[in-house]
Amino acid sequence: DEEEIGGIYIPSIHEPSPAERKNAVVDLQLKIADCLSYKEDYDLAAEAYEKALHLHVGFRRWNRSRESTKKYLNQLSGLPVSTSTNVEVDISNTTSLEAALRNSLADCLAHIGQPELSLKHYEASLAIKRRIGGDHHNEVAHTLMSMGALLGSSGDTSGALNCFKEALYIYRTNLEQES
């Protein structure tokens, strides 16, 4: 829609829909987290990624039950990073944004010395990416590489090797298909 003012057509400013506002809130929280991660402030970045993840999951629930979602979202302020294990993963109802958020959160958690929690988020991200893109998607390989690095630094060389081998297989398969 455009409005004519003095012979100039100006796009009408529209009121964003509730869905657009929800996406903007999650996007802004994600941008804050990215900035903090870029500054290598991994403690605050992890909190910001976690908040973005909670918001994203909460907004996905919105259409199912507004009252319980409002209560859930109101409880978010001041949550410590350790509560991120409480965000359930409904693989049948996830998005690529949730996978990215969990992957970024896992990266930060690994930097601040929480490898167990980091691994849980990598595993959730991996499951989402496999469901959305399939077992041979490059995003699956990226997460496997991160998981392998985490496992290796935690002393699980066998688990790390398995992750690296699967990632290498995916990368090689995709390169062969491109040729």
Side-chain angles (χ1 to χ4, degrees), residues 23-34:
N23 288 339
V25 168
V26 174
D27 190 47
L28 286 170
Q29 188 64 45
L30 178 60
K31 286 182 185 339
I32 290 168
D34 287 343

Side-chain angles (χ1 to χ4, degrees), residues 21-95:
R21 286 194 298 272
K22 291 172 194 169
N23 288 339
V25 168
V26 174
D27 190 47
L28 286 170
Q29 188 64 45
L30 178 60
K31 286 182 185 339
I32 290 168
D34 287 343
C35 287
L36 291 166
S37 182
Y38 180 74
K39 289 176 53 178
E40 297 183 5
D41 190 342
Y42 298 112
D43 289 306
L44 288 178
E47 289 177 19
Y49 282 123
E50 182 181 19
K51 188 169 229 174
L53 177 61
H54 280 284
L55 287 168
H56 179 67
V57 170
F59 288 146
R60 277 199 348 256
R61 295 179 181 171
W62 188 261
N63 291 330
R64 289 182 261 161
S65 170
R66 289 186 183 214
E67 277 312 306
S68 66
T69 302
K70 284 181 185 177
K71 185 186 290 185
Y72 172 81
L73 293 174
N74 286 334
Q75 295 170 351
L76 286 180
S77 59
L79 286 178
V81 172
S82 61
T83 62
S84 61
T85 56
N86 296 330
V87 177
E88 77 282 353
V89 181
D90 177 4
I91 297 298
S92 65
N93 187 28
T94 55
T95 64

Side-chain angles (χ1 to χ4, degrees), residues 8 12 34 49-50 68 93 99 114 121 124 129 155 159 161 165 170 172 179:
I8 299 173
S12 298
D34 287 343
Y49 282 123
E50 182 181 19
S68 66
N93 187 28
Q114 294 192 33
H121 283 286
K129 289 177 179 183
L161 186 59
K165 283 180 178 179
I170 292 168
R172 282 186 176 164
S179 300

Side-chain angles (χ1 to χ4, degrees), residues 115 119 122-123 144-164:
L119 187 59
Y122 279 136
E123 289 169 345
L144 285 166
M145 292 291 293
S146 297
M147 285 177 66
L150 177 67
L151 291 169
S153 67
S154 299
D156 182 357
T157 54
S158 176
L161 186 59
N162 288 335
C163 287
F164 292 144

